[in-house]
C-alpha cells in the first residue's frame, strides 16, 4: 500500500480536530521559540552603543561581540535534530528555554566583555535549537489539513519577537531619559533591555509543560498508545487511529537518511541543486538585511538622529517587517515563489540604492541634510518591506521544497549553515565597513540585491504546485 493510499485509509488528509482552538494553542506555544529567536536576535540593537562606551572598544571588537551569537546559532541548529531524536521535542524546547533564561540573566549582569560574549553564544545556541525544533514539532503535530497555516506561526512569531524587542528597548530608553547607560532598577538601561528576555523565556518553558509530545517521536520510541491519544487529540476521533499510527511508522521506516556524501557530484564538489540552495541563502543575507535589525539604532545615530527617535525608527521598521511577512504568507501560494523573489529583488535594489545615495552626503552639524535624511529613512523601510514580502519567506519555502527527497535533509542543513555563515560575515563586517564608508557599504548591498535577479532567472526553478517527489 502506498503512503497516499495509507493516508486515504486513515483519513489523515481530511482530519479536522474536534477542538481546533486547542491545536492552535499547541502550535502557538511551540512558536514561542520563534518569538525568542526574533527577540534575542534583535534586542542587542538597543545595547550596541552602550556596550561600545561601557567597554571602550572599537568597531571590530564590537562587531565580534554582536556577531558571536551566530556561532552558537550554527552549533545549536546543527545539534538540535539529534537532541530531539534522542530525548524528545518537548525536552529539547525546555533545554532551549533554560538556555534563553541563563543567557538573559548573564547578558544583563556581565562582569566583563568576555563573559558578555559567552552569554551571547549561549543565547545563540538556544536560537539555533529554537529555529529547528519549532517548525519540526509543529509539522509533526499539526493536522495535515491545517499544517501550512499552523506552520506559518513560526515565521510570524519571529517577526513579532523582533518588533516587541524594539518596542521594549524604546520604552526602556525613554524611562532612562534617552540614555542607553542611564540608570534603571540599579542597572544601566542596556542591561535591563537584555535582561527582560527572562520573561518570555520562562513563559516558553512553562508552556512546554502544557503541550503534548510529538506522536512521531513517541512512535519512534515504542509508545504507540500515547501516540494514539495525542493523534486523537489533535486530529479528531473520526480518523482510523490504528491506520494513522501505522502510516507514520511505515513512513519512518521507508525514509532515507540523507548523508553529506549524497550531496557530492558535478564539477564543483556539490551537486548543482545544492549550489542553488547555497546561493539563495547567501543572497538572502548579503543584501544586508540583518544590519537593519542588529545595527539600525546605531546607524540612525551615526547620521545625527536622536537616540530615542532612532529606537522608534527601529520599531517602525519591525512593524513593516511584520506587514511584509503577512503579504508573503498570503501570496506565496498564489503568485508563486519565483515571481515574489524577483519583485522583492527589484524593490530592494531601489531601497538600498536610495540609502547609498543619501548616505553619500556630508553631515551638516552632525546630521544628514533634511532631504537626504528623509530619503534614507523612507528607503530603509522600503528595503525591509520588499525583503520581508519576498526573500525573507520564499527562501525558506524554496529550501524546504527544492531538493530531491533522497538529499533533502542533508542539503537543507548545508544551505542553512551557509546562511548562518553569511549572516555572521555581514554582521561582523558592518561596523568596520560603516566607519570606512557608509555609502559604499550600501552600494555593496545594492550590488548583491541586483545580482540576485539574474541568479533567480537563470538557476532557480518554480516549486509552486509541485509534489515533493517531482523535485530534482
Amino acid at each position: 500500500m502506498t503512503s497516499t493510499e495509507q493516508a486515504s485509509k486513515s483519513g489523515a488528509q481530511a482530519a479536522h480536530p474536534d477542538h481546533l482552538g486547542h491545536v492552535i494553542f499547541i502550535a502557538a506555544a511551540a512558536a514561542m521559540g520563534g518569538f525568542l529567536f526574533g527577540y534575542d536576535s534583535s534586542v542587542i540593537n538597543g545595547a550596541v552603543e552602550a556596550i561600545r562606551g561601557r567597554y571602550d572598544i572599537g568597531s571590530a571588537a564590537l562587531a565580534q561581540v554582536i556577531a558571536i551569537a551566530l556561532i552558537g546559532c550554527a552549533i545549536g541548529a546543527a545539534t538540535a535534530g539529534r537532541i530531539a531524536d534522542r530525548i524528545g521535542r518537548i525536552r529539547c524546547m525546555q533545554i532551549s528555554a533554560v538556555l534563553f533564561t541563563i543567557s538573559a540573566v548573564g547578558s544583563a549582569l556581565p562582569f566583563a566583555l568576555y563573559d558578555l560574549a559567552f552569554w551571547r553564544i549561549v543565547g545563540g545556541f538556544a536560537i539555533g535549537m529554537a529555529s529547528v525544533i519549532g517548525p519540526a514539532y509543529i509539522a509533526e503535530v499539526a493536522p495535515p489539513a491545517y499544517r501550512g497555516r499552523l506552520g506559518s506561526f513560526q515565521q510570524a512569531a519571529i517577526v513579532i519577537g523582533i518588533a516587541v524587542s524594539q518596542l521594549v528597548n524604546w520604552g526602556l530608553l525613554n524611562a532612562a531619559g534617552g540614555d542607553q547607560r542611564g540608570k534603571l532598577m540599579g542597572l544601566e538601561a542596556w542591561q535591563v533591555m537584555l535582561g527582560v528576555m527572562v520573561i518570555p523565556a520562562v513563559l516558553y518553558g512553562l508552556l512546554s509543560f502544557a503541550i503534548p509530545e510529538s506522536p512521531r517521536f513517541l512512535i519512534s520510541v515504542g509508545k504507540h498508545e500515547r501516540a494514539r491519544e495525542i493523534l486523537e487529540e489533535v486530529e479528531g476521533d473520526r480518523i482510523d487511529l490504528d491506520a494513522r499510527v501505522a502510516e507514520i511508522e511505515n513512513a519512518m521506516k521507508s525514509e532515507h537518511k540523507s548523508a553529506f556524501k549524497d550531496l557530492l557530484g558535478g564539477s564543483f564538489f556539490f551537486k548543482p541543486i545544492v549550489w542553488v540552495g547555497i546561493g539563495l541563502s547567501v543572497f538572502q543575507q548579503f543584501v544586508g538585511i540583518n544590519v537593519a535589525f542588529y545595527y539600525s539604532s546605531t546607524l540612525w545615530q551615526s547620521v545625527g538622529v536622536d537616540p530615542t527617535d532612532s529606537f522608534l525608527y527601529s520599531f517602525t521598521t519591525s512593524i513593516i517587517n511584520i506587514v511584509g511577512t503577512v503579504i508573503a504568507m498570503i501570496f506565496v501560494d498564489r503568485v508563486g515563489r519565483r515571481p515574489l523573489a524577483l519583485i522583492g529583488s527589484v524593490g530592494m535594489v531601489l531601497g538600498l540604492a536610495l540609502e547609498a545615495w543619501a548616505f553619500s552626503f556630508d553631515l551638516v552639524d552632525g546630521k544628514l541634510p533634511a532631504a537626504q535624511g528623509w530619503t534614507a529613512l523612507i528607503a530603509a523601510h522600503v528595503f525591509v518591506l520588499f525583503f520581508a514580502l519576498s526573500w525573507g519567506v520564499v527562501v525558506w519555502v524554496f529550501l524546504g521544497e527544492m531538493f530531491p527527497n533522497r538529499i533533502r535533509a542533508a542539503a537543507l542543513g548545508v544551505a542553512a549553515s551557509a546562511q548562518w555563515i553569511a549572516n555572521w560575515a555581514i554582521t561582523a563586517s558592518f561596523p568596520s565597513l560603516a566607519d570606512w564608508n557608509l555609502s559604499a557599504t550600501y552600494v555593496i548591498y545594492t550590488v548583491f540585491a541586483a545580482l540576485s535577479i539574474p541568479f533567480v532567472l537563470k538557476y532557480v526553478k518554480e516549486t509552486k504546485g509541485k509534489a515533493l517527489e517531482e523535485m530534482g
Side-chain angles (χ1 to χ4, degrees), residues 197-271:
M197 194 176 69
V198 165
I199 298 171
V202 170
L203 178 60
Y204 180 41
L206 292 175
L207 286 171
S208 71
F209 287 98
I211 58 178
E213 182 54 87
S214 158
R216 184 183 176 93
F217 171 74
L218 291 170
I219 291 170
S220 75
V221 294
K223 297 182 178 180
H224 291 73
E225 190 56 39
R226 178 58 181 150
R228 280 171 51 90
E229 293 173 5
I230 295 169
L231 284 168
E232 183 176 1
E233 181 182 337
V234 299
E235 296 189 8
D237 58 6
R238 292 182 293 276
I239 65 169
D240 184 335
L241 293 172
D242 290 329
R244 187 76 175 95
V245 169
E247 173 195 341
I248 294 172
E249 197 165 23
N250 290 334
M252 291 170 64
K253 288 178 180 177
S254 64
E255 283 177 354
H256 171 76
K257 293 187 180 297
S258 56
F260 184 78
K261 65 180 180 181
D262 295 326
L263 308 182
L264 307 182
S267 55
F268 295 101
F269 192 69
F270 287 128
K271 295 179 185 295

Side-chain angles (χ1 to χ4, degrees), residues 174-364:
N174 274 292
D179 183 2
Q180 291 181 30
R181 299 192 62 188
K183 292 296 182 181
L184 282 177
M185 296 180 284
L187 300 172
E188 293 185 4
W190 70 273
Q191 294 176 272
V192 180
M193 292 174 188
L194 300 184
V196 166
M197 194 176 69
V198 165
I199 298 171
V202 170
L203 178 60
Y204 180 41
L206 292 175
L207 286 171
S208 71
F209 287 98
I211 58 178
E213 182 54 87
S214 158
R216 184 183 176 93
F217 171 74
L218 291 170
I219 291 170
S220 75
V221 294
K223 297 182 178 180
H224 291 73
E225 190 56 39
R226 178 58 181 150
R228 280 171 51 90
E229 293 173 5
I230 295 169
L231 284 168
E232 183 176 1
E233 181 182 337
V234 299
E235 296 189 8
D237 58 6
R238 292 182 293 276
I239 65 169
D240 184 335
L241 293 172
D242 290 329
R244 187 76 175 95
V245 169
E247 173 195 341
I248 294 172
E249 197 165 23
N250 290 334
M252 291 170 64
K253 288 178 180 177
S254 64
E255 283 177 354
H256 171 76
K257 293 187 180 297
S258 56
F260 184 78
K261 65 180 180 181
D262 295 326
L263 308 182
L264 307 182
S267 55
F268 295 101
F269 192 69
F270 287 128
K271 295 179 185 295
I273 191 67
V274 179
W275 281 116
V276 174
I278 292 171
L280 284 168
S281 289
V282 170
F283 274 117
Q284 187 200 50
Q285 295 301 315
F286 274 17
V287 296
I289 186 59
N290 279 308
V291 168
F293 299 124
Y294 296 159
Y295 296 115
S296 59
S297 293
T298 297
L299 172 64
W300 296 123
Q301 290 174 51
S302 73
V303 293
V305 175
D306 175 82
T308 303
D309 288 341
S310 74
F311 276 54
L312 179 60
Y313 296 154
S314 296
F315 173 64
T316 58
T317 301
S318 299
I319 296 300
I320 292 294
N321 189 32
I322 294 174
V323 172
T325 300
V326 171
I327 292 172
M329 290 165 63
I330 292 171
F331 288 103
V332 68
D333 284 324
R334 299 181 184 181
V335 176
R337 292 79 162 120
R338 223 165 154 259
L340 270 186
L342 292 169
I343 291 168
S345 292
V346 172
M348 289 191 296
V349 168
L350 175 64
L352 289 167
L354 285 172
E355 284 191 86
W357 171 81
F359 292 140
S360 69
F361 285 78
D362 293 331
L363 302 184
V364 178

Side-chain angles (χ1 to χ4, degrees), residues 337-400:
R337 292 79 162 120
R338 223 165 154 259
L340 270 186
L342 292 169
I343 291 168
S345 292
V346 172
M348 289 191 296
V349 168
L350 175 64
L352 289 167
L354 285 172
E355 284 191 86
W357 171 81
F359 292 140
S360 69
F361 285 78
D362 293 331
L363 302 184
V364 178
D365 296 327
K367 296 183 179 182
L368 280 175
Q372 284 71 29
W374 279 107
T375 298
L377 185 60
I378 294 170
H381 286 72
V382 168
F383 163 60
V384 171
L385 175 65
F386 276 94
F387 176 87
L389 65 80
S390 60
W391 286 74
V393 170
V394 300
V395 167
W396 286 110
V397 175
F398 269 130
L399 294 181

Side-chain angles (χ1 to χ4, degrees), residues 82 104 106 121 143 173 232 294 414 442:
R82 292 186 179 183
I121 294 176
L173 185 71
E232 183 176 1
Y294 296 159
V414 168
Y442 272 82

